[in-house]
Amino acid sequence: MILEEDYEAARDDNKENAAQEKEKKEEQREEIREFGQLSLNHKIHLLSVIGEIEGHECLSSNAKTTKYEHVLPQLAAIEDSNEVEGLLVLLNTVGGDVEAGLAIAEMIASLSKPTVSLVLGGSHSIGGPIAVSTDYSYIVKTGTMVIHPVRMNGMVIGAPQTYDYFKQMQDRILGFMADHSRANRERLEELMLNTGMLTKDLGTILVGDDAVREGLINEVGGIKEALGKLNSMIIENKSRKNKGTDEE
């Protein structure tokens, strides 16, 4: 026989659980709205790099942007968290600020937790280093990567030092991409300075299989493959840590 007090207690518990679930969903919506980020099940953090990567100058309010001042603290929190076990990076970006893009890429590459990236619409320009900064990378069959020389808007001083500075920036990008992928640095520079593909610019467009063939991306696949790979890497990472603890 169910007592009235038990019924009241159960009803109060249900109300409390519903309130907590509602609050959790509201927090998730806020994370998506403000940062384009979300914590998935199995303690995986989702980071989306979309639109233009914004650096030291704010872009117009009607432009889709990824703000590095939002992303860098999130990556530091992921590294410090005992809850988050892996990072999934979704990319659909036209590129943007070189310094900001390289900062994000270096942060992702230095994480101790398993990381996987998935290139969807595209990962152009400085989006390339971010795509290859993870432990394993995927690209959908229709996804693209555009590799081109460093460009600058606004007034440029026509002096040898300006050319040297551009060359230094390009070397940093090429070096990072070669160090974090299977691509050859000389081949990357050749793709960057290609004059035969883009009518108004230097560079090369790599679509899906082409990016894998050139060694930039590990595999063609979608969200199923990316999440499956990340989950297996998390399990392997846990096993390695447990083995190390047992040996001690």
Side-chain angles (χ1 to χ4, degrees), residues 47-106:
L47 170 66
S48 59
V49 179
I50 61 169
E52 190 166 349
I53 298 167
E54 190 176 89
H56 303 300
E57 296 182 5
C58 292
L59 298 173
S60 62
S61 59
N62 61 349
K64 291 282 188 182
T65 63
T66 295
K67 301 177 186 295
Y68 84 112
E69 69 268 28
H70 289 169
V71 175
L72 297 184
Q74 286 290 325
L75 292 173
I78 289 168
E79 177 64 23
D80 190 53
S81 172
N82 292 324
E83 296 296 318
V84 179
E85 297 176 333
L87 173 68
L88 175 62
V89 183
L90 301 182
L91 296 112
N92 188 8
T93 175
V94 296
D97 187 281
V98 171
E99 300 287 349
L102 279 178
I104 293 172
E106 289 283 9

Side-chain angles (χ1 to χ4, degrees), residues 189-244:
E189 187 167 10
E190 182 182 329
L191 294 172
M192 179 180 280
L193 302 178
N194 178 25
T195 61
M197 180 171 283
L198 301 175
T199 57
K200 295 184 179 180
D201 195 5
L202 302 178
T204 302
I205 302 173
L206 300 174
V207 181
D209 291 310
D210 297 330
V212 176
R213 194 176 303 113
E214 293 291 349
L216 276 174
I217 301 296
N218 292 108
E219 195 175 335
V220 171
I223 188 66
K224 178 180 70 174
E225 288 79 10
L227 276 175
K229 179 67 174 180
L230 185 53
N231 278 312
S232 67
M233 291 168 67
I234 289 172
I235 294 171
E236 184 179 340
N237 190 47
K238 283 182 179 179
S239 176
R240 187 163 53 246
K241 285 183 177 179
N242 292 336
K243 184 177 180 182

Side-chain angles (χ1 to χ4, degrees), residues 9 12 31 41 61 67-68 94 96 124 140 148 163-164 178 180 191 195 217 242:
D12 290 342
E31 282 184 340
N41 291 331
S61 59
K67 301 177 186 295
Y68 84 112
V94 296
H124 304 168
V140 295
H148 64 73
Y163 171 79
D164 291 340
H180 293 85
L191 294 172
T195 61
I217 301 296
N242 292 336

